[in-house]
Amino acid sequence: MTYDVSHNSQHPQDRTTPDSPTVAEAFGFDFRPLDDLHDDQRWSTWLEVEPLSRGPEPRPDWVVTSQAAVDTELGVLKTGKEADAFLLERAVPDTDPSFVPGTPGLSVVMVAKRYRGEEHRSFHRSGAYTEGRRVRNTRDARAMAKKTAHGRAVAAGQWAWAEWQALTRLWALGPHGGLAVPYPVQVDGTELLMEWITVEGEHGPETAPRLAQTRPGPRLLASYWEQVREAMALMVQEGMVHGDLSPYNVLAAGERLVVIDLPQVVDLVGNVNGMDFLLRDCRNMATWFRARGLDVDEHDLFGDLVAHAF
């Protein structure tokens, strides 16, 4: 790049037209302080977490990784037995006139799932799901056994980490032939950020309904069943069982089903309850489809899945 310096000896006013800015104006900066965030905002935590706690690559282009991004709470999405889900927008502040909300890499709305401590949870069957899991840090293990404040925090973090591992593992199977799950953006302690699964509503994107809320016609119902069967088969091939699969833990994003709520995923072989959980998942799903007119049987499904596993 070259610069024209031939008029440097002239007075600034001699080099401007009546409508052009002065040198002071042309080289001025419009600073907008962003230090004073609102109570429902925080700076993006993307770079605060370890690299292994960030979403797997290749990452979707909508993932906002800018250090200048701000997280803004948008409200409660759902309350659950062991965690609450919120909508959270991560966006680069519109300090640039060219900023367009919703631009990939600049603004995205995600789900922030936050696990509660043991004293505030109502998920009483957790012991059966955690059979076979190990805590590497002996101090943490002792704290969990004694149910100290630190131990309860570790336990809550374990559930978030378990769901993170399940999501990243299943996402890594790939979009073609892989299991449809929300993209895991990051995990930080007891908070898990993930893709918001939506459908187009009257006023823009809306949360996709749970399968239990839908009334699909015969063709779509049969397609949904095949997707459920294939999803469960893929999981058992990986030695995994959802453990709490039901029409309430599957989202219907148009004609595509997306499996959610995976903190209690168990090892089919390593957990002594693995087969029992698999049969229960089969029963939950088959019962719903059968009630809507599809001739399916949980025992046939269970047999097919066991064959996939071994």
Side-chain angles (χ1 to χ4, degrees):
M1 180 180 293
T2 61
Y3 298 90
D4 181 5
V5 296
S6 59
H7 299 289
N8 278 356
S9 61
Q10 298 179 17
H11 191 278
Q13 292 182 349
D14 296 335
R15 303 196 304 271
T16 60
T17 64
D19 295 327
S20 63
T22 65
V23 170
E25 293 171 335
F27 285 87
F29 295 92
D30 179 19
F31 288 105
R32 295 178 60 183
L34 293 173
D35 293 334
D36 298 328
L37 299 180
H38 297 296
D39 292 339
D40 59 351
Q41 292 182 315
R42 70 184 185 195
W43 291 106
S44 169
T45 56
W46 174 260
L47 292 180
E48 294 180 9
V49 301
E50 296 294 329
L52 290 179
S53 297
R54 301 175 196 148
E57 297 182 350
R59 298 185 180 110
D61 61 3
W62 52 261
V63 177
V64 178
T65 61
S66 171
Q67 193 170 0
V70 172
D71 294 345
T72 303
E73 296 277 346
L74 300 181
V76 177
L77 178 63
K78 177 184 176 292
T79 57
K81 293 175 291 187
E82 70 276 2
D84 297 320
F86 302 81
L87 286 182
L88 180 142
E89 180 189 44
R90 175 166 289 175
V92 178
D94 56 345
T95 55
D96 189 322
S98 63
F99 176 85
V100 178
T103 302
L106 291 179
S107 174
V108 65
V109 176
M110 303 175 291
V111 173
K113 187 172 184 179
R114 293 163 187 158
Y115 282 84
R116 296 191 291 270
E118 293 286 328
E119 70 275 19
H120 299 300
R121 296 169 64 242
S122 57
F123 199 34
H124 301 299
R125 298 171 300 179
S126 61
Y129 291 105
T130 56
E131 178 73 29
R133 294 183 187 177
R134 295 291 181 267
V135 180
R136 292 184 179 181
N137 188 304
T138 55
R139 174 177 175 268
D140 289 344
R142 289 195 300 270
M144 289 176 62
K146 295 178 180 179
K147 296 185 177 181
T148 64
H150 173 68
R152 292 193 295 269
V154 171
Q158 272 201 315
W159 286 99
W161 184 252
E163 182 161 23
W164 167 260
Q165 287 184 308
L167 287 172
T168 54
R169 184 175 171 184
L170 293 171
W171 179 269
L173 295 177
H176 303 294
L179 182 66
V181 295
Y183 177 78
V185 177
Q186 69 174 70
V187 63
D188 184 10
T190 59
E191 180 186 74
L192 173 61
L193 300 185
M194 69 186 87
E195 178 184 5
W196 180 32
I197 305 298
T198 65
V199 293
E200 195 59 37
E202 183 178 352
H203 303 291
E206 298 177 351
T207 302
R210 295 173 185 272
L211 180 60
Q213 300 172 310
T214 67
R215 295 294 179 268
R219 182 195 64 81
L220 188 55
L221 186 69
S223 172
Y224 280 168
W225 173 255
E226 283 304 307
Q227 291 183 58
V228 167
R229 187 188 64 78
E230 291 173 5
M232 296 180 73
L234 280 167
M235 292 188 73
V236 297
Q237 286 171 4
E238 292 292 310
M240 304 167 68
V241 179
H242 187 286
D244 194 29
L245 190 63
S246 78
Y248 293 94
N249 286 337
V250 178
L251 300 181
E255 296 193 354
R256 180 177 71 109
L257 295 185
V258 180
V259 178
I260 61 171
D261 292 339
L262 295 146
Q264 70 291 313
V265 163
V266 299
D267 188 302
L268 179 61
V269 178
N271 188 304
V272 295
N273 304 296
M275 286 294 181
D276 293 336
F277 284 134
L278 180 60
L279 179 57
R280 191 181 67 186
D281 286 353
C282 292
R283 183 181 301 114
N284 288 341
M285 299 308 297
T287 298
W288 187 86
F289 279 90
R290 193 165 50 242
R292 278 144 189 82
L294 198 64
D295 185 16
V296 295
D297 181 80
E298 59 264 32
H299 298 288
D300 290 342
L301 175 60
F302 179 76
D304 289 343
L305 294 177
V306 172
H308 276 91
F310 302 103

